[in-house]
Amino acid sequence: MVTAITFYILAAVLVTSGIMVVFSKNPVHSVLFLILAFFNAAGLFVLLGAEFVAMILVIVYVGAVAVMFLFVVMMLDINFAELRKGVMEYLWVGLLIGFILLLEMIFIVGGWNMTDGIATTITAATPPINEVTNTEAIGRILYTDNIFLFQLAGLILLVAMIGAIVLTHRKRDGVKKQNIGDQVRRRRDDAYEAIDVKPGSGI
Amino acid sequence: MGKYFDIFVGWFGYKLDPWALLTLGTIANILVVVLPVLLAVAMIVYVDRKVWAAIHLRKGPNIVGPFGLLQSFADGLKVFLKETIIPAGANKFLFLLAPALSLIFGLVGWAVMPFGEGMVISDLNVGILYLFAVSSLAVYGIIIAGWASNSRYAFLGAMRSAAQMVSYEVSIGFVLVCVLMCVGSLNLTDIVLAQKNVMFGVNGYFFSGLFPMFIIFFVSALAETNRTPFDLPEAEEEIVAGFQIEYSSMAMALFYLGEYAAIILMCGMMAILFFGGWLPPIDWAPLYAIPGIIWLLGKMAFFFFCFAWIKMSVPRYRYDQLMRLGWKVFLPVSLVWVVLTSGYLVYFGKLAG
């Protein structure tokens, strides 16, 4: 009973905050609602008994990704009233795309066929919950069963990351940067010079 | 959990229904941990000030109560009677939410902190991930405060804090991975028990190849809790107290409560991850006669002393130096250490589980 009540509270807040992400006037409020949505999703995972996924969701999305979102959104001075001006002009395009997507999803879900013996496949893939924690179960699937696919995904991400850095990095002239090696190597003679200046002559 | 639950069963008999008993038992458990934590915050502020005073060769708080012990309570009372000023341009709701968030995230981490074997509110089997998540959330109080204040100084503080937290979290994550690989479990109780007699009868991972990871964790903990030399978000001399600039009275006090609660939690994490938690420092039978919680609190007090000592001894990092240390020194070192540790464990067949 308590589980059901908790589920409905979490789900209701999740859906509401999801809607508020889209409809908030202020982009910062949108991001904060997004964070609330992440939290409630993590709560739902805990209810399912998937505590590892819940914690990773909080660490990765709330702790890192959403901080970056907030960072960027707070820095940008977006005038949303201006952006919303043309909303009625393009409304029909948006509705059309939405409708096409909806049709596609109906076709896919409607034409979905379960393979025979799906029940045995599902039960065979999951180790008993009281013997293996779900951290270990996920680790086994990712790092033992599908290690090559996992490594491949890692490589693709690495390439994407290097590509992004190469594309956005630019060298600027005249930027002063601290070079600790230079600082440490600097000796008294490099910086200090005693000159005997005669009166009235200057240097 | 069980112990206090039984006490409640004893008080009320079985007349209450089990859910009410469970709720009451949980609330009692939470109070048993949170009230001492809040009291500890008050006392640790006093200790902090006394340590700074000793380093400055002055006396520190010594007027209110014996040896000035009641100074923090006097300050709390004073702050409580002041007016909470909300700036005209501020976002009222978020402005007041921020200090509350800061305190909440400072306190919720204590839910998984084991004070002894079985002495824990919730013995999560992903306890360390929970602590990691909570410590990374502490930044929200600061970011929201900085933005909602509608002040440039506050905003600068918030931006610095966000960048700093994200940078140092990465190396903390790798340090945790090193420890987890040696233990083979994410449960904090298991982590402590695995440190029994690591080498030559010493309890604690600091006395092994993980010692460099302890140093990285210690420095990153300073950065995560915004302590000197990483107190850029509030840097008084540059951005006049940063994110706290618009706050007064209880709202400001809540920030301090949350900050110090997070600092004590970090000290506890260090004791549990590297110094064997409630185990005595040396695996020698007579030392086990002293209750484990005293060992744990002693270790936490020692780390807190180090925090206070560092605060008074080192100057503040510049922003680019902070970034360099996080990304160019700690990240590669901790990453290499993860590779070395896993290589060692696999080669010598010591991998747990």
Side-chain angles (χ1 to χ4, degrees):
Chain A
M1 211 266 288
V2 174
T3 320
I5 294 173
T6 321
F7 169 78
Y8 283 117
I9 293 174
L10 288 173
V13 177
L14 176 59
V15 172
T16 318
S17 47
I19 293 170
M20 289 307 287
V21 172
V22 183
F23 286 105
S24 290
K25 289 243 165 64
N26 190 326
V28 174
H29 292 179
S30 289
V31 180
L32 291 175
F33 275 116
L34 186 66
I35 293 162
L36 189 61
F38 283 145
F39 260 113
N40 285 285
L44 288 179
F45 276 126
V46 171
L47 274 187
L48 282 175
E51 71 276 353
F52 181 76
V53 185
M55 290 306 149
I56 290 296
L57 184 75
V58 173
I59 291 170
V60 174
Y61 282 92
V62 184
V65 175
V67 174
M68 284 293 132
F69 275 3
L70 260 189
F71 193 99
V72 173
V73 168
M74 284 177 177
M75 297 270 269
L76 294 177
D77 191 21
I78 310 172
N79 189 349
F80 264 69
E82 196 115 308
L83 272 180
R84 274 164 205 265
K85 252 181 196 166
V87 92
M88 292 318 279
E89 267 177 64
Y90 297 105
L91 191 64
W92 65 274
V93 183
L95 284 179
L96 188 69
I97 294 174
F99 185 66
I100 293 171
L101 279 177
L102 182 70
L103 277 186
E104 282 179 350
M105 279 169 83
I106 288 173
F107 286 142
I108 292 170
V109 174
W112 187 273
N113 276 321
M114 299 289 182
T115 41
D116 299 334
I118 185 93
T120 48
T121 327
I122 290 175
T123 44
T126 323
I129 196 124
N130 48 1
E131 285 171 24
V132 180
T133 62
N134 61 49
T135 315
E136 201 178 333
I138 290 173
R140 209 176 271 175
I141 289 173
L142 273 187
Y143 298 112
T144 307
D145 299 347
N146 299 316
I147 180 68
F148 292 113
L149 289 174
F150 184 77
Q151 293 279 338
L152 196 68
L155 270 181
I156 293 172
L157 279 177
L158 182 69
V159 170
M161 189 180 82
I162 293 175
I165 293 172
V166 169
L167 285 176
T168 53
H169 186 76
R170 61 197 167 100
K171 264 217 148 67
R172 282 178 299 171
D173 294 329
V175 179
K176 283 193 174 173
K177 277 195 177 147
Q178 181 181 26
N179 188 338
I180 292 187
D182 281 354
Q183 285 184 352
V184 174
R185 267 196 300 277
R186 192 170 144 131
R187 291 284 166 263
R188 182 176 175 275
D189 299 337
D190 306 334
Y192 177 82
E193 195 182 357
I195 300 174
D196 198 9
V197 185
K198 289 196 175 64
S201 66
I203 300 174
Chain B
M1 179 70 230
K3 208 159 68 183
Y4 302 104
F5 185 74
D6 289 345
I7 291 174
F8 268 86
V9 171
W11 282 358
F12 296 108
Y14 285 94
K15 282 172 207 158
L16 286 171
D17 75 310
W19 279 114
L21 269 178
L22 188 66
T23 317
L24 281 176
T26 313
I27 291 173
N29 261 331
I30 292 171
L31 290 181
V32 162
V33 172
V34 165
L35 291 182
V37 166
L38 288 177
L39 198 66
V41 167
M43 293 326 290
I44 217 121
V45 173
Y46 166 79
V47 171
D48 217 6
R49 294 175 64 179
K50 273 290 190 192
V51 173
W52 301 344
I55 290 172
H56 285 165
L57 300 178
R58 31 181 196 93
K59 283 188 174 169
N62 65 346
I63 303 296
V64 190
F67 310 107
L69 274 170
L70 300 177
Q71 180 67 48
S72 302
F73 300 100
D75 287 346
L77 193 66
K78 187 193 85 172
V79 133
F80 190 71
L81 296 173
K82 298 276 179 187
E83 183 192 353
T84 305
I85 297 165
I86 301 175
N91 186 322
K92 225 176 237 168
F93 178 71
L94 290 180
F95 186 80
L96 292 177
L97 180 73
L101 274 185
S102 172
L103 179 63
I104 289 169
F105 289 133
L107 290 180
V108 286
W110 290 93
V112 293
M113 180 65 96
F115 294 96
E117 202 162 352
M119 287 169 71
V120 51
I121 298 180
S122 165
D123 202 14
L124 276 186
N125 57 5
V126 288
I128 191 69
L129 281 182
Y130 176 83
L131 268 185
F132 185 47
V134 167
S135 70
S136 67
L137 292 180
V139 68
Y140 278 107
I142 295 175
I143 299 188
I144 294 176
W147 184 77
S149 300
N150 197 15
S151 150
R152 274 141 188 85
Y153 289 122
F155 190 61
L156 277 175
M159 291 292 106
R160 286 177 175 199
S161 182
Q164 179 177 326
M165 286 283 187
V166 172
S167 314
Y168 281 82
E169 232 161 62
V170 186
S171 50
I172 284 197
F174 281 122
V175 171
L176 294 184
V177 169
C178 282
V179 176
L180 295 182
M181 280 191 305
C182 296
V183 180
S185 164
L186 287 90
N187 184 302
L188 288 167
T189 308
D190 290 347
I191 289 176
V192 171
L193 292 178
Q195 295 179 49
K196 203 165 181 179
N197 197 354
V198 170
M199 218 184 269
F200 307 119
V202 176
N203 291 333
Y205 277 137
F206 76 97
F207 198 72
S208 70
L210 288 181
F211 183 71
M213 291 297 98
F214 165 67
I215 300 293
I216 290 186
F217 189 83
F218 187 89
V219 179
S220 302
L222 287 173
E224 284 269 304
T225 50
N226 296 326
R227 286 285 282 201
T228 340
F230 305 104
D231 61 343
L232 289 126
E234 46 181 288
E236 291 89 348
E237 299 86 348
E238 304 160 25
I239 51 174
V240 278
F243 62 94
Q244 298 170 346
I245 188 168
E246 303 289 354
Y247 282 89
S248 61
S249 81
M250 272 319 274
M252 194 195 68
L254 286 186
F255 272 123
Y256 273 95
L257 278 176
E259 195 179 315
Y260 274 94
I263 289 171
I264 309 176
L265 187 67
M266 273 293 179
C267 294
M269 262 177 101
M270 273 183 274
I272 281 175
L273 290 176
F274 293 100
F275 279 71
W278 62 81
L279 300 173
I282 294 166
D283 196 20
W284 183 47
L287 290 178
Y288 284 94
I290 299 171
I293 192 161
I294 294 191
W295 286 118
L296 181 66
L297 293 181
K299 287 167 187 174
M300 283 160 72
F302 171 73
F303 288 126
F304 186 78
F305 171 74
C306 293
F307 269 49
W309 183 13
I310 286 171
K311 173 148 183 153
M312 277 301 115
S313 336
V314 290
R316 184 178 302 128
Y317 262 66
R318 211 173 50 213
Y319 191 75
D320 62 317
Q321 293 169 329
L322 175 98
M323 285 293 145
R324 180 180 167 276
L325 184 69
W327 290 106
K328 292 188 180 171
V329 181
F330 282 179
L331 181 60
V333 170
S334 53
L335 196 55
V336 165
W337 223 264
V338 169
V339 175
L340 286 180
T341 312
S342 53
Y344 169 81
L345 291 173
V346 171
Y347 188 77
F348 290 98
K350 288 184 177 177
L351 209 56

